[in-house]
Amino acid sequence: MTADLLAWLDTAITAREEAARKAAALCGCHPPAPAWSFRDGDGPTDGRILVVDDPHPGVKRKISRRWNGSYEGLFMAQHVVLHDPESVLRRCAADRKLLDLHGARHHDCPVYDDDGDLDQEHFYDHEACPVVVLLAESYGWKEI
């Protein structure tokens, strides 16, 4: 299970990184601008997701179209902003660090104490590190 799990998790993280980089790329003539904000309000320029430090603020983008003015639209816009490319790339980088820290098997994993056994055996299936399994679950892994 461990090799399959790690390969699947690497693919899942890579897919999110690629999508975030594409979303951040904007026009291609400037460095990526991956942070987004939401301007709430009733004015003609409110209700939009904005690119933070947008190099071309006047250019119309699909991301900056006005939301429908409903609570549902407001909640969707706020959700999108909280998952902007910058935050996704940050999460992917942190998840890769967790994978490096925990390794694939118990002998590399700091969940184990100095004598080599797991103090919390009910969290461990003796195949894959429980932290790696939980991390994979956060990306949609279901083969437990």
Side-chain angles (χ1 to χ4, degrees):
M1 175 175 119
T2 301
D4 291 344
L5 173 64
L6 290 174
W8 182 91
L9 189 51
D10 180 63
T11 300
I13 294 172
T14 299
R16 282 158 181 80
E17 289 168 331
E18 289 173 359
R21 285 188 186 102
K22 286 178 184 176
L26 297 177
C27 59
C29 66
H30 294 279
W36 300 340
S37 65
F38 180 70
R39 185 185 310 169
D40 194 10
D42 295 325
T45 60
D46 293 331
R48 300 179 188 277
I49 294 176
L50 306 170
V51 176
V52 175
D53 299 325
D54 189 345
H56 304 292
V59 174
K60 296 211 181 249
R61 303 181 198 290
K62 286 185 180 179
I63 193 167
S64 64
R65 73 177 175 86
R66 185 169 176 79
W67 291 83
N68 64 12
S70 70
Y71 283 117
E72 180 183 72
L74 170 67
F75 298 150
M76 284 189 287
Q78 290 170 336
H79 174 77
V80 167
V81 166
L82 289 173
H83 296 86
D84 67 1
E86 184 176 271
S87 66
V88 170
L89 290 171
R90 212 174 32 247
R91 169 67 193 264
C92 290
D95 290 347
R96 289 194 186 279
K97 288 177 186 176
L98 280 172
L99 285 173
D100 288 343
L101 177 66
H102 281 270
R105 299 195 50 87
H106 68 275
H107 61 276
D108 296 326
C109 179
V111 171
Y112 274 80
D113 60 17
D114 292 335
D115 63 4
D117 66 347
L118 183 67
D119 292 328
Q120 301 165 342
E121 290 183 22
H122 61 283
F123 290 119
Y124 195 69
D125 69 2
H126 298 283
E127 177 62 30
C129 168
V131 173
V132 174
V133 172
L134 292 172
L135 186 60
E137 285 178 13
S138 75
Y139 282 86
W141 176 265
K142 294 181 176 143
E143 298 177 37
I144 300 171

